[in-house]
Amino acid sequence: LGDTLEAIAGEKAWAMDGCAVALSAPQPEAVLRVLKARRPDLVVLDAAEAEAMPPLRAVGGHQRLNAALAWRMLRLLSQKGMVALREAKALAAIAASEIPGRLQRIDWGRRRIWLDAAHNLHAIQALLPSLKALADPFEAIIVLTRGDRDLAAAEPLLQPLARHLHIGRGNERADVFRALDDTIAARDEGDFLVTGSFITIDLASEWLEMVRGIAA
């Protein structure tokens, strides 16, 4: 979508055209300028609203922010008479929600495997505050992205969090299966993080279904 935050924001701002309500998470000032140029009525969530959310089943501070966005949007739509909102039920539903591929935990024997579809450096940076609470350290972190994308800049961020770190380009089925065979299947226990792209996570889910079935 672009090589800078402002360029990306300019592309994404088009999605707000024709929307009855426009809502954003907190953004850098340069991004807000771009978004508000297209939607002067843009509502920006206060970070404190995420902290005020009840305990969530979904793991990670960034998911608290996403949940707070959903909760604020429901209330905005209710205020405009566009939805009939049962606040207690809606809030309970948000708190109980889990998103596949977003710090999704899958257990296999004594292994705990976390799948997250973070596909760029910004998304990986958003994961960092949550990772230490999940494992200290991870036995292995596997980052596999498509061939035309480079996530090598994530290496110094992730290296201190794992005994083994595998970052590679190529998220074809053979690439993902080989990497998971070499890192997860080769170890009997521990915490593992798999990330890098939506395709990587889809293939990792397929691999886990297969190997867990064989093990059973």
Side-chain angles (χ1 to χ4, degrees), residues 27-52:
Q27 302 288 348
E29 190 56 42
V31 170
L32 280 179
R33 280 197 298 271
V34 174
L35 298 179
K36 287 188 173 182
R38 191 156 198 89
R39 283 297 295 254
D41 62 335
L42 179 70
V43 177
V44 181
L45 192 76
D46 190 309
E49 294 181 62
E51 296 304 315

Side-chain angles (χ1 to χ4, degrees), residues 27-214:
Q27 302 288 348
E29 190 56 42
V31 170
L32 280 179
R33 280 197 298 271
V34 174
L35 298 179
K36 287 188 173 182
R38 191 156 198 89
R39 283 297 295 254
D41 62 335
L42 179 70
V43 177
V44 181
L45 192 76
D46 190 309
E49 294 181 62
E51 296 304 315
M53 292 296 291
L56 304 178
R57 184 173 295 174
V59 178
H62 57 304
Q63 297 210 77
R64 291 190 67 80
L65 183 58
N66 291 338
L69 276 169
W71 178 229
R72 171 65 93 86
M73 179 57 79
L74 281 173
R75 286 177 290 149
L76 288 171
L77 294 175
S78 176
Q79 290 164 14
K80 289 180 174 290
M82 299 178 69
V83 299
L85 178 61
R86 297 182 183 179
E87 290 201 1
K89 292 190 75 171
L91 193 57
I94 291 171
S97 295
E98 293 180 286
I99 304 173
R102 290 299 189 187
L103 284 181
Q104 174 188 1
R105 174 175 166 171
I106 298 177
D107 294 327
W108 175 27
R110 292 180 293 170
R111 307 171 186 87
R112 288 168 301 280
I113 298 129
W114 300 88
L115 305 180
D116 195 277
H119 57 285
N120 55 37
L121 184 60
H122 180 263
I124 290 174
Q125 288 171 327
L127 284 180
L128 294 177
S130 305
L131 295 183
K132 272 202 170 183
L134 301 182
D136 191 14
F138 283 88
E139 182 62 29
I141 294 177
I142 304 100
V143 183
L144 292 169
T145 191
R146 66 192 195 199
D148 63 345
R149 179 173 287 154
D150 185 3
L151 287 179
E155 182 171 354
L157 303 177
L158 296 173
Q159 187 70 66
L161 304 178
R163 292 190 178 94
H164 306 276
L165 177 62
H166 175 95
I167 296 181
R169 293 188 191 183
N171 57 359
E172 300 293 331
R173 192 173 190 270
D175 301 318
V176 175
F177 279 31
R178 185 183 309 110
L180 300 184
D181 284 339
D182 292 345
T183 53
I184 299 178
R187 295 172 171 84
D188 294 330
E189 61 181 336
D191 287 271
F192 303 84
L193 172 66
V194 183
T195 188
S197 78
F198 290 94
I199 294 172
T200 297
I201 297 311
D202 184 53
L203 290 169
S205 298
E206 179 187 339
W207 179 86
L208 281 164
E209 184 176 341
M210 180 185 72
V211 296
R212 291 166 80 207
I214 292 172

Side-chain angles (χ1 to χ4, degrees), residues 16-28:
M16 299 188 292
D17 278 6
C19 294
V21 181
L23 174 65
S24 173
Q27 302 288 348

